[in-house]
Each structure stands twice: as structure tokens, then as C-alpha cells.
Amino acid sequence: MLFFRFTAIVFAVLFFINSSFLNQIYSAENTVDECFESRENTSLLYREKIESGKDNVKCSEKTGAVLWYGDPFWNTADMADGKINKKVKRVMRPRGDSLMYMPCSSCHDGVTVPFPDGNEPRELTFHQEVFQENLEMTHGRGRIWCLDCHTPANRETLIGNFGKKISFDKSYELCGRCHGSTYKDWEDGIHGKRIGMWNEQEKKRWWNCTECHDPHSVQVNAFAPLEPEAAPVKPEGLSEH
Amino acid sequence: MYKKETKESVDNAERRDFFKKVGLGGVKAVAGAAALFTGSNEAEAAVSWARWFQKNFRLMTEEEKDKAISYLEKKYSEKFEKQMDVDKSPAMEDVLFGYALNIQTCIGCRRCVKACAEENNQSRHDPEIEWIRVLQMEKGNFSIENKGEAVSGNTLNVGEYAHKNAGVTLEGEHYYEPEKVPEKDFFYFPVQCMQCENPPCVKVCPIQATWREPDGIVVIDYDWCFGCRMCMSACPYGARHFNWGKPNLPKENVNPDTHYLGNRPRTNGVMEKCTFCIQRVREGRYPACLEACPVGARKFGNLLDPESEIRKILENKRVFRSKVELNTYPKFFYYID
Amino acid sequence: MKKADERKKGFIKDLTLYILKGGKGYYSLLIFLSLVIMLWFFGLYHQFSKGLIVTNLTDQVNWGLYLSNFTFLVGVAAGAVTIVFPSYVYHHKQLKEVAVVGEMLAIAAVVMCLLFVIVHLGRPDRLLHIIPGIGVFNFPASMLAWDVLVLNGYLILNLVCAFYYLYKKYKGEEVKKSFFMPIVYIAIVWALSIHTVTAFLYNTMPARAAWNHSILPIKFISTAFASGPAILIITFLIIRKKTKLKIGDEAIDMLSQIFVWCLGIGLFLMFSEIVTAFYHTTEHAYGLKYLISGLHGYSKLVPWYWVSTIFMTFSFIFLLFPSLRKNHKLLPIACVLSIIGIWIEKGLAFVLPGFFPTSLGEVVEYSPSLVEITISSGNWAVGLFLFVILVKGSIGILTKEVTA
């Protein structure tokens, strides 16, 4: 009978042990402040609070990549146009401010740096980081050179069809001159990243080509392999075989 | 006679004592278990009786839904110390959601998996629940070094490659974590709920806790499900997940914008799965996995709108679906460029 | 009116008093079972407070020890028909005298099944959700809904059959055939249905290739009609030895004949499965491959499979010889071996291969945790406890020690 009393006491003790010790709060406040959207060192942005107290983005603790957008249209500007689909409500992140050497005309004014004759590949005294190997640009594998895309007399614009000038913010129009089928897919929303509203008539943030593909060294930096996020936790019973 | 009676009465007394103790212990055990079960956590201790009789969401009137929702908002706001919203928006008219994933482009970075966890309030550990699973598929290993013993003689399969697997391992690798992705000899295949039009999971649920909504999303009523896991076994895509223990969701990571049938915080012992981010798509926004993908491999839209990107993909790209022979009619398409 | 009520109260009171009387052996068995039940309460507390994370179940293998035992026990419950059928349809006199013991086995087995389902659920507190009227009953689409219906119906049928019969015997009257016989016939057909529906629960899921074949209901029923009689044979041999109830040799012989032929059919079906699966091994056969020789290096279940197959084959061959069948010293050995064999073959060695590989090609092993083993043992102890006291009561009435 003593055994039964003992068991009853054991039970009583156990009933008062709450199971809450198991719910250790796994503190995982998002602490990453500088994140990138596509690949590292491009499309950087900073985490901050927006209206309604939400974060503008949530980033990965492991890689620093942006995982989640609180406001998909944060820091974007209206870019609606497009001959193909006039109804599109397109916003994009303006490029101008993030370009390193802007304004280009501070050097390329015809005086400090003269406007060149012709478009032959030659040794450069500046902008060497654009090239992988001497006199051969990776983009096009040696078949194109600077002034095939950049307006000789106004380096803040790019060369468009009909002789029109394209601003850096709309550089996709230039890419589309050669990469037509990709450009059509991009306009349809099939190529590349778009966030925002799913209805075709609603507002979306589009990604400019150059936000993912480096226009000078496309094959090298265009979606070079990057660090993946963590694998799922292995279940018990899965051993190394 | 007398001795026997005394022994008998002593035996009887011992038996009564024994049964009393067992009975008392049993009652204590049951009561204790019940108490712990219903009220072990601070905020959950205030369970109102009405909650026990809450109906299946599909059968509730609007007033009942509102009542359930206001209770949930109060409970969640207390627990997570921020204002939580629980939505009940119905399906939109003339909308049938479809999803497409470009396996030519997918690099296997798993940002979609983690974004989904952030958006949908998934348990972070014990158990770790992830609604998307990315498989790493081998491209095929046809190297001369792989030849085996030559099979020869009086047999119909001869040569060094007889009875080998023609270079490909059929099952995908789940737990890859290399330094960089994509790795050279692999491609990637993310899997999540296919939102089938003929869902096997809906058919087997004994209490209709899961059903297909008019806009094509298969949903679960987390307050109705009792965790029998029939649906988990019936799903051919491994898309359904179970809360084995109390979900561990730190309050810093909670997403306060929720839907009753979507990403509101779940409890112990119920099923959950991808809902195409029902809380976002019914407000017109893209799902979280799509927005996270850095290469734009994921596409989504209304299958009934001929101008949508998903329809353009179905028309112009080479599209296939997973396990079609099972006649589940999934609405999650894979395509290559 | 008053007399009938008093009689009914008398029935229950007399039965209870008789059940409480017993010798050392009886009480030590009950005390042992009670100790296991105490551990059971502890296990239940653990599981109900923390959830199913205390088991070793995972997303990859999400049905385990509980449903394995459930499947086996539904078979045992259905196996009770092997005593009812010959008794009432073929008027086997000696079996008819003890048919009520079979019904008690069915009752205890169904109670255990219900317990196993309850502990398998993630939220057993929501059990009311399945009751038609209060909850939502997904009938006829969901096989589990069918199973709930047939199992509970079978429990009620057996309770009515057994206790009506005992009550009439207690009063010294004959059963009213117009009431009793239809219920018995329904119970016979119903017994087949419970195990068929349980088989349909498994084999109607194309996602689980190892389960998705049409021989499953036949295999289930044949092994059920082997395990049920085996348990009853052992029970009868114990009853013969320890109590005053007389059980004829012919009763035991009939049961052992049913046992051996049904075991034979089961073995033949297993053989057929193996040939079909391995002539050209597709991925659908990987579950069976896991059992027979392991898969991708995982082989925890291989020894269990071979033990089960060898035990069943040996029992079958052994029992083919009438002289061995009638040897009541060797017969229980064959019974025990095949009960163990069938418990493995219809239990873990059936449920687990359904998850090998998973829908996404993973191979994850499972072996029950201590909590699962504690709770399962406790469920068995509850069932055995119930069976023992019900049989004790029945014996009291059958031997006319308990009368009005």
C-alpha cells in the first residue's frame, strides 16, 4: 500500500510541473540591417520602419538577402510607358542615384575627356573595372564596345532606336534592342522579378535588367552562384547514408 | 467459517482500498491532463465555453465568424503583444489562382522557403515547419568511370552499363547546403501545396476540416481539425504539415496581418499547409514566396484572365505538372523557358 | 416492473460481485495490468500536455505504433466472427456454448481500437467534431468516417448480443430468437465490414504505393481470421485449466482449423505480393523492399519482417498436421507464434512501408519512443483488463454460478 501512496505523490508532483519550460522563446529578432535584393553587393538597401510600424523588408540572418517586403513599392518611382502594354502600372527603383560616377558629363564634356572618333576597342585610362580581359568586353564576348550602347556626346544617356536617347532609368529599352525575346517576356512579366499586385492591370514593381545583370560583365556577374538559405532540419531517423 | 469470513473481509477491505487509490489516481490523472491541456499557457487559460462549440468555419454565419474572429484577435494580440488582425475575406469573383515555377531559372537558394515562414507565422523549431521544400535534382552522371562489371554470356542485357540507372538518381536531395547555389550538376525543384482541383486530402478528412474554396485554394480550419493526419498520408506531394508540438513562434517574428484560413498562428496538434498566401492574394497582392525569389522564377495569377502572366506562360512555355497520373489536377505548374 | 428492475440491478450487482471474487492468480494478473495502466496515465499526461512531439513520428512517417496496433486489433475484433459464425449458422453445439467469449474479445478489442485512435489524434479534445449532428461527418466520402461508423456499430452489436445472451442465461431463460438471431446475423456480416473498411482506409490512397493494392482487404481478413481464433484458443485453454467452465475439444478443433486455413490464405497473398512487386521492381515496391532487405542502407525493420514470416510459416506448416493441431500442449505455441507474426505483419511491418519512400522520395526511419510504448502497453493493459473481467463474468453465468 505504501507503493500506491508513493505513486500518488509522484503523480501530484508531476501535475504541478508546468510544461512551459519547453516554450523557451527562440529569440530571433531580425537584426540584419543592410540587405541585398538580388545578389550580394548589388541592389543593397537598409532595413527601416515604415508607416504602420512594419519593417520595409525582412532579411535573412544567414545570408543578408531580402526575404520579405513590407511595402513592395517602397522607394520606387513611376515608370509607366511601353509601346506594348500601355495599361501597365509600372514602378521601378530609379537607378540614377546609385550609379557610381554620376554625373558622367562632369568628365565627358568634350574638354576634360574629348569625344572619341569611331568606336574601336582601345586601352582605357579609367573605368578599367568594366573589363575582364584587355580589349574584350565580356558582354558580347568581344563583339561590342562602349559606344555601341553609350551616346558618345552625352554619357548620361544610352542609344535607343530611331536615334532617340534612353535614360539610365529606362535602360531596359536598350537591352531589348538585342535581347528581343527576353524583353518581350520581361514586358509580359514572365522574365525577371516583379512584386506587388497580381492582377495584370494593377501596380507592380518591376526590376530593371541591370538590377540583376551587370551590363558590362554579364556572363561573370549575372547571377553568379550565391549562398543558399539553411536546409530544413533533418528529422530523427534520417542518418548519413 | 468465521476465520474465512475475517480473511474475506480483510481481503475485501484491501480491495476497496486498492480500488479507491486507483480510482483517485485515475481521476487526478485525467483531471490534471485535462487542465494542462486546456489551460497551460497564460493567455490560453482564458478559454471561453463558447469556443468548445465553435462550428466548422465553412458552416458559420457571418455573425458567428465575426465572433470567432474577435475572440482570436484578442487572444493573439495578448499573446504576441501587438495588434493582430484576423481577416475573413471571401474568394473574389471570377478568380481561379494558378502558380507557375520556372525550373530553368530556379537556383535553389531557398529564399522562398524562408520568406514563407516569415509571412505565414510558421513554427521555427520543435517542430520546424516549412511549407515549401526545394529538391536538388541530379542532371545525370554519364561518366566513363561509372561503368560496372561487364555483363556477358547468355543473357539479354550485356555490357558495362547493363542494369545501371542510366546516370540519374531518381529521388531529389532535400538537405543540400553547399557554399553556393546553383551547383553545376544539379537543377532545383521546389514543391509546395499544388492546390489540386481534385484534392485527395479533402476527400479523406473525416470531419471536413479542409476544403477547396471557390478561388481554388485548398484551406484548413485550424479550429476544427483534430489532427488524425489522414490528409497527410493522402497527399501525394508531401505538402501537408503537422504541428507535432506547440508551435514556437517568437513574438518578434509574428506577422500581424492574418486570415482565418491562412497564416493566423496555429495551435498544437493541427494540420497546416501553403494557402497561396490567402491573406495577401485575396487583397490583390502576390504571395510571399514569389516576392522573395531573386531570379523571378515564380509566377502567379488568375487563370481565368487571358492577360495574366500565368496564362501567357501556359500558352507560350513548355509546361508540365507533378504526378499527373494521380488525377489530382494540380494548379501549380512547372515550366522551362 | 419493480421485479424486472430489481432483476436487472441484481444482474449487474451479482456479476460485479462475482468479478471481484478471485484467487491469487486472477488478482496478480489484474494488479499487474493495473500497474501498467498507472504508467499509462503517466504517458498520457506526457503526451496530452506536450503534444505528439513526444512520439518519434515525423512529417515523413506520420503514422506509427498507435495505428499499427489499431489495425491489428480491428482484425482481432473481426476475428470474433470465427466463433459466432460456426455457432449460429452451422449450429456447432460446443462452440455455441462459449460463443459469448468471442463477443467479449470483440468488445475488448474494439475498446482498445478506440483508445488507440484517441491517442493517435493531435487534438483528442476535439473528438466531438466527428459526431454527426454536433460535428461534421464526412460520410460517405471519407473512409475514416466509415470506420468510425462501423467500429462503433460493431461495439454496440456485440454489447447487445453478449449481454442480452448473458442476461437471459442469468435468468435461466432462452433467448428470444426473433430479437437475437437478426442481431447475430448482422454482427457476422458487420465483422467482415469493420476490417474491410479499415483496409480501405489504407489502400484507397494512391499517394502511398505500398498500401495501394486491392489484395489488402483480403489479406487483412484472412490474417484477422487467423489471429482472432488464435487468441481465443489460448483463452479457452487457460479457461479450461483455471476455471470450472467446460469447453469441448471440438470447439477448439474447429477454431484451430479456421486458424490454419486462414493463415494459409494470408501467406499465399504475401507470396503473391512479393512476386508481383519484384518481377520488375518499380519504386512502388520500395516499401516491401525495405521490409525484406532494407532500403538505401536503412534496415531496422528487416529482422522483424523475417521473424514474423518465419513464425507464420512455421505455425502454418505445424498446424497442417491434425495430430499436432489436437495436441493441446503444442497448439498454444503455434498460436502465440502466429499472433506475434501477424501483429508484426499487420502492424508496424505494414504501416511503416507506406512511408518508404515518402511522397517526395525521402527515406526516414521510425522506431517508437518510450512514451509511445508506454501508452500502447497501457492501452493493451486496459483492453486485457476489460477482457479478463468480462470473461470472468461470462464464465460465472455460463457455469451457472451467477443466477437470478
Side-chain angles (χ1 to χ4, degrees), chain B residues 120-144:
Chain B
N120 289 297
N121 291 326
Q122 287 159 19
S123 173
R124 297 301 198 264
H125 67 98
D126 296 301
E128 179 196 64
I129 298 182
E130 289 179 340
W131 291 354
I132 304 173
R133 181 59 74 96
V134 183
L135 306 180
Q136 184 188 57
M137 314 295 281
E138 256 189 77
K139 280 185 191 168
N141 193 354
F142 297 96
S143 145
I144 289 217

Short mmCIF file of all heavy atoms in Angstrom, two decimals, chain B residues 120-144:
data_model
loop_
_atom_site.label_atom_id
_atom_site.label_comp_id
_atom_site.label_asym_id
_atom_site.label_seq_id
_atom_site.Cartn_x
_atom_site.Cartn_y
_atom_site.Cartn_z
N ASN B 120 3.98 33.53 -43.01
CA ASN B 120 2.89 32.67 -42.58
C ASN B 120 3.01 32.17 -41.15
O ASN B 120 2.34 31.21 -40.78
CB ASN B 120 2.77 31.49 -43.55
CG ASN B 120 2.23 31.95 -44.89
OD1 ASN B 120 1.11 32.43 -44.98
ND2 ASN B 120 3.04 31.83 -45.92
N ASN B 121 3.83 32.82 -40.35
CA ASN B 121 3.85 32.52 -38.92
C ASN B 121 4.07 31.05 -38.62
O ASN B 121 3.34 30.44 -37.84
CB ASN B 121 2.53 32.98 -38.26
CG ASN B 121 2.44 34.48 -38.23
OD1 ASN B 121 3.44 35.18 -38.09
ND2 ASN B 121 1.23 34.99 -38.37
N GLN B 122 5.10 30.48 -39.26
CA GLN B 122 5.34 29.06 -39.04
C GLN B 122 6.19 28.84 -37.79
O GLN B 122 6.99 29.68 -37.42
CB GLN B 122 6.04 28.45 -40.26
CG GLN B 122 5.07 28.32 -41.43
CD GLN B 122 5.76 28.23 -42.75
OE1 GLN B 122 6.94 27.93 -42.83
NE2 GLN B 122 5.03 28.50 -43.81
N SER B 123 6.01 27.67 -37.19
CA SER B 123 6.80 27.32 -36.01
C SER B 123 8.27 27.22 -36.41
O SER B 123 8.61 26.59 -37.41
CB SER B 123 6.31 25.97 -35.47
OG SER B 123 7.15 25.51 -34.44
N ARG B 124 9.14 27.88 -35.62
CA ARG B 124 10.55 27.93 -36.04
C ARG B 124 11.35 26.71 -35.60
O ARG B 124 12.36 26.38 -36.20
CB ARG B 124 11.24 29.17 -35.46
CG ARG B 124 10.65 30.47 -35.95
CD ARG B 124 10.74 30.59 -37.47
NE ARG B 124 10.59 31.96 -37.91
CZ ARG B 124 9.45 32.50 -38.33
NH1 ARG B 124 8.37 31.79 -38.35
NH2 ARG B 124 9.42 33.76 -38.72
N HIS B 125 10.97 26.06 -34.51
CA HIS B 125 11.72 24.88 -34.07
C HIS B 125 10.82 24.03 -33.20
O HIS B 125 9.92 24.52 -32.57
CB HIS B 125 13.00 25.28 -33.31
CG HIS B 125 12.71 25.95 -32.00
ND1 HIS B 125 12.74 25.29 -30.80
CD2 HIS B 125 12.36 27.21 -31.72
CE1 HIS B 125 12.44 26.13 -29.83
NE2 HIS B 125 12.21 27.31 -30.36
N ASP B 126 11.12 22.71 -33.17
CA ASP B 126 10.34 21.79 -32.34
C ASP B 126 8.85 21.97 -32.48
O ASP B 126 8.18 22.27 -31.52
CB ASP B 126 10.72 21.92 -30.86
CG ASP B 126 12.15 21.52 -30.62
OD1 ASP B 126 12.51 20.38 -30.93
OD2 ASP B 126 12.91 22.39 -30.15
N PRO B 127 8.20 21.77 -33.56
CA PRO B 127 8.85 21.35 -34.80
C PRO B 127 9.19 22.54 -35.69
O PRO B 127 8.58 23.58 -35.59
CB PRO B 127 7.74 20.53 -35.47
CG PRO B 127 6.48 21.21 -35.03
CD PRO B 127 6.74 21.79 -33.65
N GLU B 128 10.16 22.37 -36.58
CA GLU B 128 10.38 23.38 -37.60
C GLU B 128 9.49 23.03 -38.78
O GLU B 128 9.60 21.97 -39.37
CB GLU B 128 11.84 23.39 -38.06
CG GLU B 128 12.08 24.45 -39.14
CD GLU B 128 13.40 24.22 -39.89
OE1 GLU B 128 13.53 23.18 -40.57
OE2 GLU B 128 14.28 25.08 -39.80
N ILE B 129 8.58 23.95 -39.12
CA ILE B 129 7.64 23.67 -40.20
C ILE B 129 7.97 24.58 -41.36
O ILE B 129 8.10 25.79 -41.19
CB ILE B 129 6.18 23.92 -39.74
CG1 ILE B 129 5.86 22.99 -38.58
CG2 ILE B 129 5.22 23.70 -40.89
CD1 ILE B 129 4.44 23.12 -38.09
N GLU B 130 8.13 24.00 -42.53
CA GLU B 130 8.35 24.80 -43.73
C GLU B 130 7.40 24.30 -44.80
O GLU B 130 7.39 23.11 -45.11
CB GLU B 130 9.81 24.69 -44.19
CG GLU B 130 10.75 25.41 -43.25
CD GLU B 130 12.21 25.32 -43.65
OE1 GLU B 130 12.57 24.40 -44.41
OE2 GLU B 130 13.00 26.17 -43.19
N TRP B 131 6.61 25.20 -45.38
CA TRP B 131 5.59 24.77 -46.32
C TRP B 131 6.16 24.47 -47.70
O TRP B 131 5.51 23.81 -48.51
CB TRP B 131 4.49 25.83 -46.43
CG TRP B 131 3.67 25.93 -45.19
CD1 TRP B 131 3.74 25.13 -44.09
CD2 TRP B 131 2.67 26.91 -44.91
NE1 TRP B 131 2.83 25.55 -43.14
CE2 TRP B 131 2.15 26.64 -43.62
CE3 TRP B 131 2.14 28.00 -45.62
CZ2 TRP B 131 1.16 27.40 -43.03
CZ3 TRP B 131 1.13 28.75 -45.03
CH2 TRP B 131 0.66 28.45 -43.75
N ILE B 132 7.32 25.01 -47.98
CA ILE B 132 7.94 24.77 -49.28
C ILE B 132 9.16 23.88 -49.07
O ILE B 132 9.91 24.06 -48.11
CB ILE B 132 8.38 26.09 -49.95
CG1 ILE B 132 7.20 27.04 -50.06
CG2 ILE B 132 8.99 25.84 -51.31
CD1 ILE B 132 7.57 28.40 -50.55
N ARG B 133 9.35 22.92 -49.95
CA ARG B 133 10.53 22.06 -49.85
C ARG B 133 11.21 22.11 -51.21
O ARG B 133 10.58 21.85 -52.23
CB ARG B 133 10.07 20.64 -49.50
CG ARG B 133 11.12 19.59 -49.31
CD ARG B 133 12.11 19.90 -48.24
NE ARG B 133 11.65 19.77 -46.89
CZ ARG B 133 11.84 18.70 -46.12
NH1 ARG B 133 12.45 17.65 -46.60
NH2 ARG B 133 11.45 18.70 -44.87
N VAL B 134 12.52 22.45 -51.24
CA VAL B 134 13.22 22.53 -52.52
C VAL B 134 14.05 21.27 -52.68
O VAL B 134 14.83 20.91 -51.80
CB VAL B 134 14.13 23.77 -52.58
CG1 VAL B 134 14.78 23.86 -53.95
CG2 VAL B 134 13.33 25.02 -52.31
N LEU B 135 13.85 20.58 -53.79
CA LEU B 135 14.60 19.36 -54.05
C LEU B 135 15.73 19.67 -55.02
O LEU B 135 15.54 20.41 -55.99
CB LEU B 135 13.70 18.29 -54.68
CG LEU B 135 12.43 17.95 -53.92
CD1 LEU B 135 11.66 16.88 -54.67
CD2 LEU B 135 12.75 17.47 -52.54
N GLN B 136 16.88 19.07 -54.78
CA GLN B 136 18.01 19.23 -55.67
C GLN B 136 18.06 17.97 -56.54
O GLN B 136 18.24 16.87 -56.04
CB GLN B 136 19.29 19.37 -54.85
CG GLN B 136 20.51 19.64 -55.69
CD GLN B 136 21.77 19.58 -54.84
OE1 GLN B 136 22.05 18.59 -54.20
NE2 GLN B 136 22.53 20.64 -54.82
N MET B 137 17.89 18.15 -57.85
CA MET B 137 17.81 17.00 -58.75
C MET B 137 19.11 16.87 -59.53
O MET B 137 19.62 17.85 -60.06
CB MET B 137 16.66 17.19 -59.74
CG MET B 137 15.37 17.66 -59.12
SD MET B 137 14.63 16.49 -57.99
CE MET B 137 13.87 15.38 -59.11
N GLU B 138 19.58 15.63 -59.64
CA GLU B 138 20.80 15.40 -60.41
C GLU B 138 20.53 15.51 -61.89
O GLU B 138 19.49 15.04 -62.35
CB GLU B 138 21.27 13.97 -60.14
CG GLU B 138 22.43 13.87 -59.20
CD GLU B 138 22.98 12.47 -59.16
OE1 GLU B 138 23.68 12.08 -60.10
OE2 GLU B 138 22.67 11.77 -58.20
N LYS B 139 21.47 16.08 -62.61
CA LYS B 139 21.25 16.20 -64.04
C LYS B 139 21.57 14.91 -64.77
O LYS B 139 21.12 14.67 -65.87
CB LYS B 139 22.14 17.30 -64.62
CG LYS B 139 21.57 18.68 -64.39
CD LYS B 139 22.40 19.73 -65.07
CE LYS B 139 21.98 21.11 -64.62
NZ LYS B 139 22.93 22.13 -65.04
N GLY B 140 22.35 14.07 -64.16
CA GLY B 140 22.69 12.84 -64.89
C GLY B 140 24.18 12.70 -64.94
O GLY B 140 24.91 13.62 -65.29
N ASN B 141 24.64 11.54 -64.57
CA ASN B 141 26.07 11.34 -64.40
C ASN B 141 26.54 10.27 -65.38
O ASN B 141 26.51 9.09 -65.09
CB ASN B 141 26.31 10.89 -62.96
CG ASN B 141 27.76 10.97 -62.60
OD1 ASN B 141 28.58 11.25 -63.44
ND2 ASN B 141 28.04 10.71 -61.35
N PHE B 142 26.92 10.71 -66.57
CA PHE B 142 27.32 9.74 -67.60
C PHE B 142 28.81 9.77 -67.78
O PHE B 142 29.33 10.32 -68.73
CB PHE B 142 26.64 10.08 -68.93
CG PHE B 142 25.15 9.97 -68.85
CD1 PHE B 142 24.37 11.09 -68.61
CD2 PHE B 142 24.52 8.75 -68.99
CE1 PHE B 142 23.00 10.99 -68.53
CE2 PHE B 142 23.15 8.64 -68.93
CZ PHE B 142 22.38 9.76 -68.69
N SER B 143 29.51 9.21 -66.84
CA SER B 143 30.95 9.28 -66.97
C SER B 143 31.49 7.89 -67.24
O SER B 143 30.96 6.90 -66.76
CB SER B 143 31.52 9.85 -65.67
OG SER B 143 32.73 9.26 -65.38
N ILE B 144 32.55 7.82 -68.02
CA ILE B 144 33.12 6.52 -68.38
C ILE B 144 33.59 5.80 -67.12
O ILE B 144 33.58 4.58 -67.05
CB ILE B 144 34.27 6.71 -69.38
CG1 ILE B 144 33.68 7.11 -70.73
CG2 ILE B 144 35.11 5.46 -69.47
CD1 ILE B 144 34.35 6.54 -71.93
#
